[in-house]
Amino acid sequence: MSDEKLMSKKKPAFSVSKKLDEYLSYYSRKIEIPIFYEDLLRFSGSVTVYDSNDQDTLWIRVYYSEFERKEIDDSLKKVYSILHSDGSNNIHQYLNVDAVDFCTFGNSKPFRIKIRNILNDNFTYFYVKKTDASRIYGLELEHMLSPYNLNFLVYKDTLIEEHIAGIPGDEFIKNMLPKCSEPEKAQLAKEFVKFNERCMIRLLGDMRSYNYVIVPVHDFDHVVYRIRAIDFDQQCFEGKLKVYRPQFFKENYQMVELVRGKLLRDSVDQYKLEERSIVAKRILSSGVRIKKLRRICKTDIISNEENIKMLAEQIYELTLDVNFKQCKTMGDVLDLALNFVKRNYEDVSMKQIIEQNIKIS
């Protein structure tokens, strides 16, 4: 199936509700910042950004009039300090805004800010985007249900996201995957199965190869690869369940072939079960926080009626849980999906406890 048939042409941005805004404030995600997304749109010119092979990256490097540049630079340094430090101005003298890049590709149209420490030339990035409620739910769920914590800030119509380091999935598949050893390919196949399962469980869609990164981790005498999502625009919007399963995008074909070639069916089932169990444990350990988020999401509008009905029906066919047929919002669908995973894990755990007690007695 082609991506055009899988995905809607354009996902609308959804405003942040009062309850979600209060949640963000309570958990220190909502902090006043000195610059807004709209301010960065006032650039006076731009040049195309090319990669090391002279290929268009789909980013443009923007520049501002001399009158505005100092104020924008100072504001971006302040945002960096709020995101990564204590928010004071003490470190500003050691920072330089090396580049402000703008991407016109995709839904979020982000600005990418490159900040360099002039004392040692270390640099990092952060992103400035328009606020979108579904993206915020995606970031929070990634923070709680994945192996990785995320740092982001929201203020009015502007979202600040930290940079997630790694090798873009499409570049890795094209340039590095062919050079991997056979054991590394087997480990990548395992990681893709787990990543695929995690995305489906928490309803994170559109994980085409350029929307995730591969992170190599050196462990003793070998390299372990991890897969991290970097784009959370398609959280709980689309109606087709396949959108939430990375295996169905043509950009991931080589990863799917890797799974087929390296893993037996029993191993695939084992890794899926492992990931479901890990996510269930994270749901339990997230306690009140994830309960609050799910409760808010159930009352929020982050999709349309057609998508909600379609997704609920398809998940019902998969789980045979009749409660999905009663869903009125995408938050209802998400809540039931997470409950289904948690309940199955608790049922299995309780069964094991009972069996163990029988053996002891």
Side-chain angles (χ1 to χ4, degrees), residues 75-114:
S75 296
L76 291 174
K77 291 176 186 178
K78 180 71 173 178
V79 171
Y80 172 88
S81 179
I82 295 171
L83 187 65
H84 291 290
S85 187
D86 61 359
S88 69
N89 299 335
N90 298 336
I91 62 173
H92 288 198
Q93 59 183 316
Y94 308 119
L95 302 177
N96 189 70
V97 180
D98 273 13
V100 178
D101 297 335
F102 180 55
C103 183
T104 57
F105 176 74
N107 285 320
S108 59
K109 293 183 171 56
F111 284 93
R112 180 178 63 196
I113 316 300
K114 181 180 180 181

Side-chain angles (χ1 to χ4, degrees), residues 5 19 53 70 103 118 134 174 199 228 266-267 287 301:
K5 292 181 180 178
K19 290 181 179 178
N53 297 315
K70 186 179 186 309
C103 183
I118 62 176
S134 57
K174 180 181 178 182
C199 290
R228 291 193 65 177
D266 287 348
S267 294
I301 299 174

Side-chain angles (χ1 to χ4, degrees), residues 19-37:
K19 290 181 179 178
L20 181 57
D21 186 68
E22 291 171 350
Y23 169 94
L24 294 169
S25 180
Y26 183 83
Y27 288 104
S28 300
R29 298 293 201 189
K30 179 185 174 184
I31 298 175
E32 185 174 350
I33 55 176
I35 193 169
F36 296 101
Y37 178 88

Side-chain angles (χ1 to χ4, degrees), residues 10-16 24 33 35-41 102-103 106-112 127-137 139 152-161 231-233:
K10 186 172 177 60
K11 183 189 82 69
F14 296 95
S15 59
V16 175
L24 294 169
I33 55 176
I35 193 169
F36 296 101
Y37 178 88
E38 299 294 335
D39 296 327
L40 294 177
L41 288 174
F102 180 55
C103 183
N107 285 320
S108 59
K109 293 183 171 56
F111 284 93
R112 180 178 63 196
Y127 298 85
V128 181
K129 301 180 180 181
K130 289 279 288 182
T131 301
D132 177 11
S134 57
R135 189 178 304 132
I136 291 171
Y137 284 117
L139 288 164
F152 68 92
L153 304 172
V154 180
Y155 186 61
K156 296 184 178 179
D157 66 346
T158 299
L159 171 65
I160 309 294
E161 289 182 30
D231 192 320
F232 304 94
D233 295 347

Side-chain angles (χ1 to χ4, degrees), residues 13 114 120 173 212 249 251 280 317 319 358:
K114 181 180 180 181
N120 51 37
I173 291 170
Y212 60 80
F249 288 101
E251 289 87 351
E317 291 173 1
T319 64
I358 292 173

Side-chain angles (χ1 to χ4, degrees), residues 54 95 176 182 205 210 253 273 301 340:
D54 291 328
L95 302 177
M176 300 184 70
E182 295 309 307
Y210 49 77
Y253 174 77
L273 178 60
I301 299 174
F340 183 84

Side-chain angles (χ1 to χ4, degrees), residues 180-188 262:
C180 288
S181 66
E182 295 309 307
E184 287 174 342
K185 288 179 180 179
Q187 194 272 321
L188 270 165
K262 291 295 179 183

